[in-house]
Amino acid sequence: MAIQRRYRAGIETRDRILMALRELLADGGLEGTTIKAICQQAEIRPGSFYNLFDSKEEAIVTVVREAIEAVDPDPTREGRDTVEDLVEAYIRFIEDEPALARIYLQMVTTAAKDDHLGGRLLRHHRNRLERFSDAMARQHPSRDEGTARRSAEFLLAALNGMTLARALDPSFDFAAHARELLKERFASG
């Protein structure tokens, strides 16, 4: 019984930390988000934070990952997602979570200084690339694996570039550009 209470308390503390982090990132960006601010917002002590996360960056990656997972068209990875599904999920993340999309871009550009963070972000990119590549191969069975992978790399590079454009210019219509790119270059055989 006591173990269940501690477990539940840990989950509640984790949720408070992540909620506080989301709010702080939306309000002040990466620079305005400190461990002290997170702890104050979540009404916890720093020790509680460090019991659950090794660093601020680890907590931020968790927030971003959860936001991306929330729009995943095939969360159980059964291989039922299409290229269109994956692009629509990408659009939902960028459109629904613009602050987190900007934070993700910032983290990617600074990750080279941190081997652990860089490794996590690189694994995320490789997993996303694999998902897009698999969906392309299923959608276009006549393409060999290498061609599907290159097409996925090009599509992700274009989406990442458009994400950067959206971060720099909030009036940039990311969704329209992403859908047009898909329609013109990647949806057909």
Side-chain angles (χ1 to χ4, degrees):
M1 192 67 100
I3 293 173
Q4 287 178 340
R5 272 195 301 275
R6 279 193 303 251
Y7 178 76
R8 203 169 329 127
I11 295 294
E12 290 170 4
T13 300
R14 179 186 182 278
D15 290 346
R16 287 201 333 256
I17 290 169
L18 296 179
M19 181 60 71
L21 188 52
R22 287 177 74 87
E23 292 169 6
L24 289 166
L25 289 170
D27 292 343
L30 198 53
E31 296 78 24
T33 303
T34 64
I35 297 289
K36 181 178 180 180
I38 295 167
C39 292
Q40 286 175 341
Q41 183 82 6
E43 299 178 345
I44 62 163
R45 292 192 170 118
S48 295
F49 178 90
Y50 286 111
N51 281 337
L52 296 165
F53 300 100
D54 291 334
S55 66
K56 173 180 84 168
E57 290 75 20
E58 181 184 349
I60 292 170
V61 169
T62 300
V63 167
V64 171
R65 181 183 43 80
E66 287 182 359
I68 291 169
E69 287 174 355
V71 296
D72 191 327
D74 186 16
T76 59
R77 307 284 197 274
E78 294 178 23
R80 295 182 182 173
D81 46 359
T82 65
V83 176
E84 290 82 1
D85 293 337
L86 293 167
V87 169
E88 286 299 322
Y90 200 115
I91 290 168
R92 280 193 308 279
F93 173 68
I94 300 302
E95 297 288 323
D96 296 349
E97 300 285 356
L100 290 180
R102 279 191 307 279
I103 298 300
Y104 186 74
L105 283 175
Q106 283 181 282
M107 291 180 73
V108 166
T109 58
T110 60
K113 299 174 191 171
D114 180 338
D115 288 340
H116 179 70
L117 177 61
R120 284 187 71 176
L121 294 171
L122 183 57
R123 281 189 302 278
H124 176 262
H125 170 72
R126 287 178 177 157
N127 287 336
R128 183 185 301 172
L129 177 59
E130 194 64 34
R131 295 275 303 275
F132 272 80
S133 181
D134 288 348
M136 284 192 178
R138 285 192 310 275
Q139 191 165 334
H140 304 288
S142 62
R143 290 185 184 172
D144 63 58
E145 188 176 307
T147 301
R149 186 169 186 84
R150 281 189 301 282
S151 293
E153 288 172 341
F154 291 138
L155 178 56
L156 279 173
L159 290 171
N160 290 337
M162 288 188 285
T163 301
L164 181 59
R166 174 61 182 260
L168 295 170
D169 177 8
S171 68
F172 178 79
D173 191 345
F174 178 85
H177 284 83
R179 289 179 182 124
E180 187 64 25
L181 172 72
L182 180 65
K183 184 175 105 181
E184 288 185 10
R185 304 287 300 171
F186 295 98
S188 62

